[in-house]
Amino acid sequence: MFFGQPWSQWIAQYAQSHTHPVNRFCHTIGIPLVAGSVVLLLLALIFPSLWTFAWVTFVVGWIFQFVGHAFERKMPEFFHDWRYLFVGLRWWLQKIKGK
C-alpha cells in the first residue's frame, strides 16, 4: 500500500502514461540515473569531488525522461501528483525484475 492505494493500482496508472517504446526506453535509463544521483548528492556532502558528477547525472537522467515524454506526447504524471516520483522508481524496479 502507498497512500491508501495498492502499488499495483499506482503502477497501472503510471504504465498507461508510458506506453510509447521510446518513452519506456528513456525512463529505463533516466530513472536509475536520477535515483543514483540522489545517492551521489548525499555522498557529495562527505566527498565534495562528487558534486559535479552527481549534478550532471541528475540533469541527464531528467533529460532522458522529458525526451521520452515528448515522444509520448503526455506530461509526466508527477505534474498531476508528486507521489508519482516514487511510483516511477517502483515501476522501474518491477521492469528490471521482469514483472
Side-chain angles (χ1 to χ4, degrees):
M1 294 290 280
F2 182 65
F3 284 91
Q5 294 180 15
W7 274 108
S8 59
Q9 189 174 348
W10 287 100
I11 299 293
Q13 175 64 34
Y14 188 86
Q16 287 178 349
S17 295
H18 299 81
T19 58
H20 193 284
V22 173
N23 191 21
R24 293 175 71 84
F25 171 78
C26 287
H27 278 62
T28 300
I29 303 299
I31 289 172
L33 286 175
V34 172
S37 74
V38 172
V39 174
L40 288 172
L41 287 166
L42 292 173
L43 287 173
L45 296 171
I46 300 166
F47 305 104
S49 62
L50 292 175
W51 280 112
T52 302
F53 183 66
W55 281 111
V56 168
T57 304
F58 183 82
V59 170
V60 169
W62 279 110
I63 288 171
F64 265 100
Q65 293 185 73
F66 280 103
V67 166
H69 277 283
F71 280 90
E72 190 78 48
R73 297 182 185 216
K74 288 184 182 176
M75 295 297 288
E77 287 294 324
F78 71 84
F79 281 125
H80 306 294
D81 187 337
W82 64 270
R83 295 174 288 189
Y84 280 102
L85 291 168
F86 298 101
V87 175
L89 184 58
R90 184 75 178 246
W91 171 86
W92 179 81
L93 288 168
Q94 284 189 341
K95 183 175 179 167
I96 296 303
K97 291 180 181 179
K99 295 181 180 179

